[in-house]
Amino acid sequence: MAGNKSYTIVEYFGGDDGYRCGYCKNAIGNFSHGMWSHTMTVQDYQDLIDRGWRRSGKYVYKPIMNKTCCPQYTIRCHALKFQPSKSHKKILKKMSKFISGGELPTEQNDGEPMDSVCEEEGPREPSKVCPAEVKCAAITDIQKEVAECPTITEVQKEVVDAAPASSETSREDSVSAPDGRTTATAPKPGVGADPSRPPCRKAKDLRKERRLQKEQMRHADGVSSIPTPTQTNQPKTLEDFISESLPDNSSHCLEFRRFLCDSPLEAEHSPDGPEVGYGSFHQQYWLDGRIVAVGVIDILPTCVSSVYLYYHPDFASLSLGSYSALREIAFTRQLQKQSPKLSYYYLGFYIHSCPKMRYKGQYRPSDLLCPETYVWVPIERCLPHLENSRYARFNQDPDAGDARALKDVGRALVLYRRAVMPYAAYSRKRKGSSDEAEVQQYGGLVGQDCAERILLYRA
């Protein structure tokens, strides 16, 4: 992409052992393949996440979908077509109310669901590699304020989000008490509705009646009732809601700052890419000069991939996970104007077997990655299969297979004694080498294209 000679260098760990699952708490039910990434190009990582891989720091892992207790399906949102749901609008309005009014929501908040921490997924440290063999790109570190803020809670791995829409919409109606607290409306004792008052009417009906009254007044004044383009009711965009959530002359000031951060991904720039370039970034959320949250994102050739979020626990009632996800979708749309092919927002993994982790399916339209053919399938077509089985093949063409399957393990590149060579040459040098099965497995997981570009470190 950038015309350089950068290589991705990884060590493969396999995936034979089971580890504790952070979702269902199964002690040994979590199975995944793992690699340690010393350095990685953004194109290679784009290709890997499009085959079900995911990074947590420098550790890159791929769940063994038909074996692990809680299958994790890669999910992406079509950022350009995204429309906020009711629960998303509620979160943006909640932020607007806080920024303008100055008071945090006081209702009880169960906390936002979060993805399982990955530290128990497998080996997390690489073999000792000679520094001369691995030259990682120099990446600007984030400002030291983040590291020096001990009160920030880290929500590991990918985007965190608000509770499922059902829990948002199923709450009972509430009213504000004089002291600002939100309390449930209690029914008054009595025999029923007051016969001296008109019957209760739905707000929707009242709005409709008011519109009709306005139309009648317009007719009486001789004004045409045919709506002009500016009068036509158009649905608000995500950007409209976000701008409304940051009103002028407000009690608080919420600012956003973005910095390159340290990661295995090499920072790159391309003539047809976004102005900020590709790589890993910290998105800092500053409230009145105080850092309250940090989102970590990877900007890749065709997507913005959310990695994880840090947030201050004092502001958990603002649903910062959801708010940051909506901001990141808006950011993706902004980048797409500079780089047309960058049009997706990756939310990490969708885990249908864990009800609290189904919230990612609220970001529509979205697709899930078929774990066998690695094609994208609309989530609406996937959900019926997941209702019947934890593991499912989404591509319903029985003849379809992996278009990028490994065909020739001998062409896989390895790094051996500071020299880059195809595996066929390496195996000749290492007469009697017994690692062909491992390299074959690795190549099948990353695919032929990646196997021919990524350097597999061999000691």
Side-chain angles (χ1 to χ4, degrees):
M1 274 171 34
N4 56 30
K5 298 295 183 181
S6 298
Y7 283 104
T8 294
I9 303 174
V10 300
E11 293 182 66
Y12 177 63
F13 293 132
D16 297 329
D17 298 327
Y19 297 87
R20 182 179 182 274
C21 176
Y23 303 108
C24 69
K25 311 307 178 185
N26 187 317
I28 56 171
N30 184 9
F31 289 87
S32 66
H33 300 280
M35 299 188 296
W36 186 269
S37 173
H38 293 278
T39 180
M40 183 171 287
T41 67
V42 292
Q43 184 60 61
D44 285 340
Y45 186 54
Q46 177 73 70
D47 291 345
L48 286 174
I49 62 174
D50 285 339
R51 291 183 65 84
W53 291 85
R54 190 78 179 157
R55 82 172 183 89
S56 178
K58 293 188 176 184
Y59 185 70
V60 188
Y61 63 100
K62 185 182 189 300
I64 304 178
M65 301 292 282
N66 58 357
K67 187 176 181 181
T68 193
C69 53
C70 296
Q72 302 164 54
Y73 299 89
T74 302
I75 181 171
R76 72 177 185 183
C77 171
H78 295 252
L80 301 186
K81 300 177 182 178
F82 172 78
Q83 284 292 333
S85 66
K86 270 188 177 180
S87 62
H88 297 147
K89 294 174 185 177
K90 182 177 179 181
I91 289 164
L92 292 168
K93 290 176 181 177
K94 180 166 59 174
M95 178 64 76
S96 175
K97 187 176 180 180
F98 167 67
I99 296 296
S100 59
E103 292 187 7
L104 283 168
T106 54
E107 69 266 20
Q108 290 295 320
N109 192 306
D110 293 333
E112 298 177 305
M114 63 187 72
D115 294 316
S116 170
V117 178
C118 178
E119 69 250 4
E120 297 179 85
E121 298 234 4
R124 299 303 302 276
E125 293 297 333
S127 302
K128 291 183 179 180
V129 181
C130 176
E133 296 183 64
V134 182
K135 296 181 180 179
C136 296
I139 299 178
T140 306
D141 289 330
I142 187 174
Q143 290 185 345
K144 298 300 182 182
E145 298 97 319
V146 180
E148 295 170 359
C149 185
T151 58
I152 288 181
T153 301
E154 180 176 355
V155 181
Q156 277 282 2
K157 233 182 59 182
E158 314 155 359
V159 152
V160 296
D161 209 307
S166 58
S167 64
E168 291 280 354
T169 56
S170 64
R171 294 175 184 170
E172 296 182 357
D173 293 337
S174 59
V175 296
S176 297
D179 61 358
R181 293 175 300 176
T182 303
T183 58
T185 304
K188 296 181 180 180
V191 294
D194 186 347
S196 65
R197 302 183 64 181
C200 294
R201 300 172 63 188
K202 291 184 178 180
K204 182 179 179 181
D205 295 334
L206 292 173
R207 289 195 297 269
K208 185 176 180 181
E209 183 178 300
R210 285 196 292 268
R211 283 198 300 269
L212 290 173
Q213 289 174 349
K214 288 181 180 179
E215 286 297 317
Q216 291 171 357
M217 292 175 65
R218 290 168 61 85
H219 278 297
D221 294 337
V223 180
S224 172
S225 62
I226 299 175
T228 64
T230 57
Q231 295 171 333
T232 305
N233 289 329
Q234 295 290 340
K236 289 184 179 179
T237 65
L238 173 61
E239 289 77 8
D240 292 333
F241 283 106
I242 289 178
S243 63
E244 288 178 1
S245 73
L246 301 173
D248 297 327
N249 302 321
S250 55
S251 300
H252 293 295
C253 177
L254 185 62
E255 300 176 285
F256 303 90
R257 306 176 190 175
R258 189 173 299 112
F259 301 92
L260 273 169
C261 63
D262 190 21
S263 90
L265 298 185
E266 294 188 3
E268 297 181 22
H269 281 81
S270 174
D272 60 349
E275 293 178 4
V276 295
Y278 301 107
S280 299
F281 293 80
H282 276 152
Q283 293 206 122
Q284 300 180 355
Y285 296 73
W286 289 79
L287 181 66
D288 301 332
R290 177 189 183 190
I291 193 166
V292 296
V294 180
V296 180
I297 60 171
D298 293 331
I299 300 179
L300 304 175
T302 64
C303 75
V304 169
S305 176
S306 183
V307 184
Y308 54 81
L309 178 84
Y310 300 86
Y311 70 89
H312 197 296
D314 289 354
F315 298 93
S317 61
L318 288 174
S319 303
L320 290 174
S322 278
Y323 185 76
S324 67
L326 295 170
R327 295 290 310 214
E328 289 168 4
I329 292 175
F331 180 51
T332 305
R333 290 152 72 122
Q334 177 186 338
L335 294 179
Q336 193 275 338
K337 294 177 182 179
Q338 305 166 11
S339 181
K341 62 183 179 180
L342 203 164
S343 59
Y344 295 102
Y345 176 65
Y346 283 47
L347 296 97
F349 289 132
Y350 175 81
I351 308 168
H352 193 79
S353 59
C354 181
K356 287 187 177 181
M357 297 307 299
R358 295 181 184 179
Y359 66 90
K360 293 182 182 180
Q362 297 175 20
Y363 294 83
R364 302 286 180 94
S366 58
D367 306 316
L368 297 185
L369 186 67
C370 176
E372 296 181 10
T373 62
Y374 302 112
V375 298
W376 295 99
V377 180
I379 192 171
E380 295 84 357
R381 286 166 47 190
C382 302
L383 295 181
H385 300 291
L386 294 176
E387 288 293 333
N388 296 326
S389 173
R390 292 191 175 203
Y391 173 75
R393 172 191 167 110
F394 301 137
N395 189 335
Q396 295 307 294
D397 180 358
D399 298 325
D402 178 6
R404 294 180 174 83
L406 181 71
K407 298 179 177 63
D408 184 0
V409 68
R411 294 174 59 88
L413 289 185
V414 300
L415 176 63
Y416 177 61
R417 293 184 177 178
R418 305 187 186 182
V420 176
M421 64 190 73
Y423 179 75
Y426 163 79
S427 61
R428 288 194 296 268
K429 285 179 175 289
R430 293 283 306 272
K431 296 178 181 179
S433 176
S434 60
D435 60 358
E436 182 174 350
E438 180 182 303
V439 177
Q440 184 86 34
Q441 183 183 58
Y442 152 82
L445 294 167
V446 302
Q448 186 73 43
D449 295 343
C450 283
E452 293 183 18
R453 293 198 311 263
I454 296 175
L455 303 186
L456 177 63
Y457 177 77
R458 310 312 287 168

